Amino acid sequence: MQPSNTAFAELDRPVFISSTVLLSVVLLLAAIFPNAMESLFASMQSAIITNASWYYVLVVAVILISVLVFAFSSYGQIKLGPDHSEPEYSSISWFAMMFAAGMGIGLMFFGVAEPVMHFLSPPKGDPGNIASAREAMKLTFFHWGLHAWAIYAIVALILAYFSFRHDLPLTLRSALYPLIGERIYGPIGTAVDVFAIISTTFGVATSLGFGVDQINSGLNHLFDVPKNQAIQIGLILATTALATVSVVLGLDKGIKRLSEINIILAVLLLIAVLAVGPTIMLLQTLMQNTGGYLTELVSKTFNLYAYEPTDWLGGWTIFYWGWWISWAPFVGLFIARISRGRTLRQFVIGALLGPVAFTFLWMTVFGNSAIDLIMNQGLLELGAAVQADESVALFKFFEQFPATEFLSLLAILMVVVFFVTSADSGALVLNMLSSGGSDHTPTSRRVFWMAAIGITAIVLLLAGGLAALQTAVIASALPFSLAVLAGTWGFSKALYVDHAKRESLLAATPTPSVSGPEVAWQDRLTQLLRHPRDAEVSRFQRELALPAMRAFSEELKRHGLDARVISDIEGTGSVRLEIAHGDEIDFVYEVVNREHPLPDEALIGVAMEKLSAEETYHRAEVHLSEGSQDYDIMGWTSEQIAHDLTEQYEKHRHFLHMLR
């Protein structure tokens, strides 16, 4: 059986050293020349908005269409991992971690602010009326809806597919494998991972700037705590210390638990505002907002205001598209890490539709409630406060509800936990990028990256460079978008090959039953009802499967084919036949000793690690290159195994024929 791996992953020195040096250089420049850096990045952003808005719109549209095609076409049944793999995390834990990493702080910061700002300053038409209220919610849905999560999803799909199904490193370089092959392990791959580290560090640090600003505003609003750099640096140090504790605890005990706590708090806050606010009106507007969003999805996707130019597009839509793309290396890699074992369709439904549905509910409850207070209840000061300082929007909003202090404290707690979760998951991603895709690394390495995020946030805050570096992150979306498009093209090619392999298994001419007429049905039934132990399956592999593979291999060599047999019964619990086909896809046939729970109703849903040896049995399962074929050959004769080898190899040859 597979032993537990206790060795730590090697540090990727070229990636680690290069990224650390570049990060240090940029921070020094931001600290020494903040005005020059801000001016440079501002001019870059202006040039992008003027000349490349159409390109950003096109890229995001292509990504959304691609994700939907991959999920809901015949490719949707392909798994992110071997065919026999199962999800590592429950749906609730998976959703909570994904949501906390992807948009947690953003919803807290913009849930009230963005709808109100669109309502009071629409891209066209008069502000402050019913039409602008309706348009404000459609625009908010548009910026936080399917497009944003599709960008995250495409990067996560590409990385999870190549890492878990094709054993490539779980780093950004693997997205380019279909295009440059083994060269991902050279300078090109190193450059891609270094770029991802720089982008992720600044992306997380600048996002944490939103969190610190909002926490400080909340404390100032409730307790008259001064709002200044000293307080904000203290908040960064405190929350970074909490995040470091979470980093030390690891993914399951740290990020997972914090994410689950935050999703519970978010639901409680959502229910409280929905119950106290205009409940029926909010439920009605949720339906209408969703309908309006879906109705205008295509027109808004491609709307560049070309016939009526406006600065609004660059300040909002293009800003958001660049921001989501620049965050995709971080969020996409993190989502990929926790998504092994799900099919493409399951992944997209969970990672696209689930978060979007929750986001729409959140934005409606907070956004429409705020608009109602301004438009129908005459609370004009709320709109003025939001326009003056977005960070106080949520707390000014809570002033209109019972238990104001409690709601505000709960919101501050949520921002802190989202802050910690984002920093923690960011450190996890940075650690993986600098360790060849593995998160099984020394604690000190993870703490280093956590410290790097905190130091970056503090330096930028002191240098006044948060806004400049935020712009730089958006500008970095331009080159990364090219990598995303290239990776999407390569991913589609890989899915075509994978799908062709699945089709070939169905299309090839079947051979006679491998059981053979010499096996009595009573003997087959007896074998079917047995529950072999580990030692029995190992003996079967050694005495029957291994000789059959060796005989098959020798026969192939007589025909000029390159075949070899690999036995690791005591280690990985497998015996394996490999047939090399040069530039074409090789054939792999493996018999794996796999443990399963006994068919007992009391054991349903119990994790394997909690079962005793008496509650499990073992199977000799056939695996091909794409994973388990879900059938057991325990008890077969060597002749029957050779027949099965022949049948599977025939199907593989048919598959190669389909690709030619």
Side-chain angles (χ1 to χ4, degrees):
M1 301 302 296
Q2 179 73 37
S4 61
N5 183 13
T6 57
F8 285 130
E10 289 286 337
L11 179 68
D12 190 332
R13 294 185 182 278
V15 171
F16 179 82
I17 294 172
S18 300
S19 57
T20 303
V21 170
L22 285 174
L23 186 61
S24 301
V25 169
V26 176
L27 286 178
L28 284 173
L29 290 174
I32 299 172
F33 308 108
N35 294 332
M37 292 288 284
E38 185 175 1
S39 176
L40 172 64
F41 292 136
S43 62
M44 290 172 60
Q45 184 179 16
S46 176
I48 289 172
I49 292 171
T50 302
N51 302 309
S53 293
W54 66 271
Y55 171 74
Y56 275 71
V57 167
L58 178 62
V59 167
V60 174
V62 168
I63 289 173
L64 177 59
I65 294 170
S66 299
V67 168
L68 295 176
V69 169
F70 293 150
F72 297 106
S73 67
S74 53
Y75 296 155
Q77 292 302 319
I78 297 174
K79 278 195 172 184
L80 299 175
D83 287 341
H84 59 277
S85 57
E86 296 296 331
E88 185 177 359
Y89 298 100
S90 68
S91 296
I92 294 176
S93 296
W94 179 60
F95 174 82
M97 288 189 286
M98 177 172 54
F99 195 81
M103 287 189 180
I105 289 179
L107 290 187
M108 297 297 295
F109 195 90
F110 289 105
V112 171
E114 182 168 346
V116 169
M117 294 180 74
H118 292 325
F119 171 63
L120 297 177
S121 301
K124 58 180 180 179
D126 297 325
N129 56 29
I130 294 175
S132 63
R134 188 184 299 118
E135 185 67 11
M137 294 312 302
K138 286 190 288 189
L139 288 170
T140 302
F141 275 29
F142 178 61
H143 291 150
W144 292 81
L146 294 173
H147 297 80
W149 283 96
I151 294 168
Y152 293 162
I154 192 64
V155 175
L157 279 173
I158 293 169
L159 297 180
Y161 176 84
F162 287 115
S163 177
F164 299 140
R165 198 164 176 88
H166 293 282
D167 295 322
L168 293 174
L170 188 55
T171 65
L172 266 294
R173 67 177 69 199
S174 296
L176 302 181
Y177 186 81
L179 303 178
I180 64 175
E182 296 296 320
R183 283 181 291 169
I184 65 168
Y185 298 109
I188 296 177
T190 297
V192 169
D193 285 344
V194 168
F195 168 81
I197 286 178
I198 300 298
S199 178
T200 296
T201 304
F202 288 139
V204 175
T206 50
S207 177
L208 298 187
F210 285 123
V212 166
D213 196 22
Q214 193 169 31
I215 294 171
N216 198 179
S217 293
L219 294 175
N220 174 263
H221 184 72
L222 290 174
F223 308 113
D224 292 324
V225 174
K227 187 173 182 181
N228 55 44
Q229 284 188 346
I231 296 296
Q232 291 174 358
I233 290 172
L235 290 171
I236 291 176
L237 291 173
T239 49
T240 302
L242 291 174
T244 302
V245 174
S246 178
V247 163
V248 172
L249 290 174
L251 178 59
D252 290 340
K253 294 181 180 179
I255 297 176
K256 177 184 173 184
R257 290 181 180 176
L258 284 175
S259 299
E260 290 171 346
I261 290 171
N262 233 357
I263 202 70
I264 292 171
L265 294 176
V267 170
L268 291 176
L269 185 61
L270 190 68
I271 292 173
V273 176
L274 180 62
V276 176
T279 308
I280 300 302
M281 185 272 286
L282 292 176
L283 295 176
Q284 290 174 335
T285 53
L286 174 63
M287 296 297 101
Q288 187 164 337
N289 293 342
T290 305
Y293 167 76
L294 294 175
T295 300
E296 298 184 17
L297 183 62
V298 174
S299 62
K300 274 190 164 44
T301 296
F302 294 98
N303 186 9
L304 282 160
Y305 297 93
Y307 294 102
E308 41 187 347
T310 172
D311 293 336
W312 181 93
L313 180 70
W316 285 101
T317 301
I318 303 304
F319 171 89
Y320 269 123
W321 288 178
W323 186 250
W324 301 140
I325 293 172
S326 69
W327 259 61
F330 156 46
V331 181
L333 195 151
F334 178 75
I335 295 175
R337 166 62 183 84
I338 62 175
S339 298
R340 179 186 173 95
R342 285 178 163 83
T343 65
L344 269 64
R345 186 167 300 137
Q346 290 170 341
F347 174 89
V348 170
I349 290 174
L352 196 65
L353 302 184
V356 167
F358 188 86
T359 300
F360 284 2
L361 178 60
W362 183 278
M363 289 298 191
T364 295
V365 169
F366 286 86
N368 273 113
S369 294
I371 290 174
D372 177 65
L373 289 171
I374 298 170
M375 184 172 65
N376 298 324
Q377 300 185 38
L379 195 67
L380 300 181
E381 58 267 29
L382 174 60
V386 171
Q387 289 184 310
D389 185 356
E390 297 171 357
S391 66
V392 303
L394 189 62
F395 305 107
K396 289 289 186 181
F397 172 73
F398 283 147
E399 285 183 352
Q400 314 310 314
F401 290 82
T404 298
E405 290 79 7
F406 172 76
L407 291 176
S408 296
L409 283 172
L410 180 59
I412 292 173
L413 175 62
M414 289 177 61
V415 174
V416 170
V417 180
F418 273 130
F419 188 125
V420 170
T421 309
S422 294
D424 191 350
S425 51
L428 172 73
V429 168
L430 293 172
N431 180 50
M432 293 173 65
L433 287 168
S434 64
S435 304
S438 174
D439 62 349
H440 188 72
T441 58
T443 302
S444 58
R445 204 179 301 171
R446 286 172 276 162
V447 172
F448 171 84
W449 286 114
M450 187 66 257
I453 292 172
I455 291 171
T456 300
I458 291 173
V459 170
L460 297 181
L461 183 65
L462 289 173
L466 274 173
L469 267 298
Q470 182 179 330
T471 304
V473 172
I474 296 166
S476 72
L478 188 61
F480 183 69
S481 66
L482 297 173
V484 172
L485 290 177
T488 302
W489 173 247
F491 182 48
S492 66
K493 293 172 63 178
L495 290 180
Y496 170 77
V497 172
D498 210 325
H499 180 66
K501 180 65 178 293
R502 294 166 67 90
E503 290 294 308
S504 72
L505 295 176
L506 299 174
T509 305
T511 58
S513 172
V514 295
S515 59
E518 73 279 2
V519 179
W521 67 268
Q522 293 92 339
D523 294 335
R524 292 181 62 192
L525 181 60
T526 300
Q527 179 62 37
L528 180 67
L529 298 176
R530 290 182 67 247
H531 297 112
R533 299 297 181 187
D534 186 9
E536 294 179 73
V537 176
S538 295
R539 186 168 57 252
F540 167 79
Q541 290 175 299
R542 190 176 297 107
E543 296 178 358
L544 293 166
L546 188 57
M549 287 185 181
R550 284 173 174 165
F552 197 85
S553 174
E554 291 302 318
E555 186 65 22
L556 288 169
K557 290 176 181 177
R558 288 183 57 250
H559 290 276
L561 292 174
D562 181 9
R564 64 172 182 159
V565 176
I566 304 169
S567 176
D568 192 19
I569 296 172
E570 301 302 325
T572 60
S574 70
V575 288
R576 177 185 180 99
L577 171 70
E578 296 180 354
I579 306 174
H581 281 271
D583 293 335
E584 295 186 300
I585 298 173
D586 296 340
F587 173 74
V588 175
Y589 183 100
E590 191 172 18
V591 178
V592 179
N593 183 349
R594 289 193 69 200
E595 188 178 20
H596 295 270
L598 287 170
D600 184 339
E601 187 175 352
L603 302 180
I604 294 177
V606 180
M608 283 297 302
E609 58 268 19
K610 295 183 179 180
L611 298 178
S612 65
E614 290 71 29
E615 294 173 318
T616 64
Y617 74 104
H618 290 251
R619 288 168 31 120
E621 292 187 3
V622 171
H623 287 222
L624 302 180
S625 58
E626 59 269 23
S628 174
Q629 300 305 293
D630 202 28
Y631 66 94
D632 181 16
I633 64 171
M634 181 65 189
W636 288 14
T637 66
S638 290
E639 183 71 15
Q640 292 164 347
I641 296 171
H643 274 292
D644 192 49
L645 271 164
T646 305
E647 179 177 353
Q648 293 292 0
Y649 187 51
E650 178 184 9
K651 293 178 180 180
H652 184 77
R653 302 277 294 202
H654 179 75
F655 158 64
L656 296 180
H657 168 73
M658 292 174 64
L659 292 181
R660 292 173 185 145

